[in-house]
Amino acid sequence: MSDASEGSQAADSHFWLWLTQTATGLGYPTDASLARALGISPSTVLRWRKGSRPTIGHLLRISQTLGVKLEPLLVLSGHAPAGSLGDVEPPPPPQSVTPTERIILNADLDEHLESIMQTYWKNRIEEERGRVRKLVKLLTEDSVPLSDEGFSAELGDILGSRLPAHVSRVVVDWAQYRTPLVSRGRERSAIGKSLQAILQSIEEMSVVRGKDGLYYLELMTKNGLERMDNMPFDDERDAKKALVAFLSILRKDH
């Protein structure tokens, strides 16, 4: 094997290692996800993995998609000798971004709405970690509660989800942020008219504290008292903010 071919294979190896680490860090952990982002066939990415050199056109796509200058990619992939384009080094792989975080980052949200979604996902992940810890504890206990009552209680604790509260928090924060951005003169949509019908049936809306220590929105409607049990809040102030936000959504001049 010639020195030139050995150097080419080394360049291809270094390129693939860098591309893999960088793509994974940016939320493209598989060949298929990277191919979709680049708009190319997964088989093309597979050929790179096996040592095939990407074309300059492909390097340009990688540069644009991953936000990297083209020059270091030309050197890293072996299209240009080291030093021929100046002292260029590819940037180090970024901190890992999960595919879900990549969805949020690619959603073209403004800074405030992106923060709302990042907080939502952080809370969901933390809840799921707690569920995993409970499952591990259940699986490693010396004696599993096999009675219907004991086993149901254990499973009920694990299966309990705050998903409605997490999603509701996103909607509330969005509504509070959106309110000043909406023109008062804009004609109400069909959804807005439906909400008015709901409002007309509500005689009173308040925040109450449940026996579990959590706070809930309680509606006094023409059909009686109804508590929004699927939307608990840990903090009374958050519940009151939700109350204000929901009322703002239902107002005629919104």
Side-chain angles (χ1 to χ4, degrees):
M1 181 180 295
S2 67
D3 292 341
S5 61
E6 289 180 354
S8 175
Q9 287 189 353
D12 294 337
S13 175
H14 290 315
F15 168 78
W16 176 251
L17 178 61
W18 175 87
L19 181 61
T20 301
Q21 293 175 341
T22 300
T24 300
L26 292 175
Y28 310 115
T30 65
D31 291 358
S33 61
L34 177 59
R36 282 195 300 271
L38 296 175
I40 61 177
S41 169
S43 61
T44 300
V45 179
L46 179 60
R47 287 197 296 271
W48 298 345
R49 177 190 292 276
K50 293 182 176 180
S52 176
R53 180 182 299 177
T55 66
I56 294 179
H58 286 148
L59 291 178
L60 184 58
R61 289 195 183 194
I62 293 171
S63 170
Q64 294 169 340
T65 302
L66 303 187
V68 180
K69 290 183 179 180
L70 180 60
E71 290 83 353
L73 298 184
L74 291 170
V75 174
L76 191 63
S77 61
H79 278 287
S84 62
L85 300 177
D87 187 15
V88 293
E89 287 289 336
Q95 284 189 327
S96 180
V97 175
T98 67
T100 302
E101 291 171 331
R102 173 55 52 193
I103 293 174
I104 297 172
L105 293 174
N106 286 347
D108 195 27
L109 302 173
D110 65 29
E111 184 176 345
H112 182 80
L113 295 179
E114 182 177 306
S115 176
I116 288 176
M117 287 306 302
Q118 292 285 9
T119 299
Y120 162 79
W121 187 239
K122 177 182 177 181
N123 291 337
R124 292 289 292 127
I125 290 295
E126 186 54 40
E127 179 182 327
E128 195 57 38
R129 285 174 181 155
R131 200 180 330 277
V132 170
R133 285 191 287 266
K134 291 175 183 178
L135 276 171
V136 169
K137 181 176 181 296
L138 178 65
L139 296 175
T140 56
E141 285 181 343
D142 292 334
S143 58
V144 178
L146 293 179
S147 67
D148 290 342
E149 182 177 346
F151 197 61
S152 297
E154 291 283 346
L155 284 182
D157 186 40
I158 293 173
L159 292 173
S161 174
R162 297 293 308 281
L163 178 60
H166 294 314
V167 173
S168 298
R169 176 61 51 79
V170 171
V171 175
V172 168
D173 288 343
W174 169 80
Q176 290 178 323
Y177 178 64
R178 177 178 178 270
T179 298
L181 304 179
V182 177
S183 170
R184 290 179 178 271
R186 182 178 298 175
E187 183 177 356
R188 295 197 308 274
S189 65
I191 294 178
K193 293 177 181 178
S194 298
L195 291 175
Q196 290 308 311
I198 297 174
L199 177 61
Q200 291 173 2
S201 71
I202 299 176
E203 298 177 352
E204 187 177 345
M205 192 172 186
S206 60
V207 173
V208 297
R209 187 174 187 180
K211 293 181 180 180
D212 54 7
L214 301 176
Y215 294 89
Y216 299 85
L217 298 185
E218 189 171 72
L219 311 178
M220 174 62 76
T221 70
K222 294 178 181 179
N223 296 324
L225 198 62
E226 181 176 350
R227 197 178 78 175
M228 299 176 67
D229 289 329
N230 65 334
M231 186 178 166
F233 293 87
D234 296 316
D235 191 289
E236 184 179 12
R237 290 172 297 183
D238 290 338
K240 289 182 177 179
K241 287 181 181 179
L243 174 65
V244 172
F246 273 99
L247 288 177
S248 72
I249 296 174
L250 298 172
R251 288 194 185 112
K252 292 182 180 180
D253 60 353
H254 183 37

